[in-house]
Amino acid sequence: MPGEGVATFDLTTVLRFADLALTALGEAREEIDALNVYPVPDGDTGTNLYLTVEAARGALVDAVGGDESTSPSPADVRTALAAFARGALLGARGNSGVILSSLVGAVCKRLGEAGPEDRSALVFAEGMALAAQAGYAAVGQPVEGTILSVAQAAADAAGRSAEDPSHRLGHVICAAAAAQMT
């Protein structure tokens, strides 16, 4: 664990991300379920993703509590990231949940290794690259045009954005979110 801090990531942000991710998947789950998606076109991919993130969020809250009014230590942030990743892994539902837990685990691991001297934009981009690699590694026979391709496109866009020293974390996240598969 380099240094005392964790780049510019804090517990409030991690908790807020978990809440937003769960809400967004809750709103999109029926639409995602309706897609005929890889790796198994079984009509429950959105539900599986939602349940995986729900388990991750539950593990996070159990590990650190939902009280955002306290001033957490860097160890609390690392604990939160580890709990979120472990919760995703243990709560993974279906193939899509397993892939998502691999992506989440890689990003959380990289964020948790960051120190206060690290540039958060670069740390996040590195986490995205590791996530894409982990996603492909989690699948026996990767197929392009799937969540794996989306993860790789997001990682590539994040990496390009982070190369600009003037770009902050928000720029990198926006670049990743706006990425297009080629």
Side-chain angles (χ1 to χ4, degrees):
M1 282 188 250
E4 291 288 319
V6 182
T8 57
F9 307 104
D10 59 44
L11 186 54
T12 300
T13 302
V14 174
L15 287 165
R16 183 73 178 130
F17 168 80
D19 290 341
L20 290 172
L22 189 61
T23 298
L25 279 170
E27 292 170 357
R29 76 195 267 185
E30 288 182 15
E31 181 181 352
I32 297 169
D33 281 346
L35 298 172
N36 190 18
V37 293
Y38 170 85
V40 178
D42 51 14
D44 64 353
T45 297
T47 298
N48 288 339
L49 293 173
Y50 176 84
L51 293 172
T52 300
V53 172
E54 183 179 52
R57 185 194 172 280
L60 165 65
V61 171
D62 287 347
V64 299
D67 184 7
E68 298 176 23
S69 65
T70 61
S71 194
S73 72
D76 292 336
V77 176
R78 288 186 178 91
T79 298
L81 292 166
F84 190 76
R86 182 166 169 73
L89 177 62
L90 295 178
R93 301 293 192 275
N95 292 319
S96 57
V98 171
I99 294 168
L100 179 61
S101 74
S102 296
L103 300 172
V104 166
V107 169
C108 287
K109 183 176 188 301
R110 179 61 189 107
L111 297 181
E113 293 170 348
E117 69 284 351
D118 291 320
R119 188 172 149 248
S120 59
L122 184 58
V123 168
F124 185 80
E126 291 169 353
M128 292 290 293
L130 292 169
Q133 292 169 10
Y136 277 91
V139 178
Q141 295 181 343
V143 174
E144 295 304 318
T146 65
I147 189 172
L148 302 173
S149 304
V150 172
Q152 188 62 60
D156 292 345
R160 285 189 301 274
S161 180
E163 288 175 1
D164 184 335
S166 71
H167 280 196
R168 299 176 56 85
L169 179 59
H171 295 106
V172 174
I173 292 172
C174 287
Q180 300 286 317
M181 292 188 307
T182 55

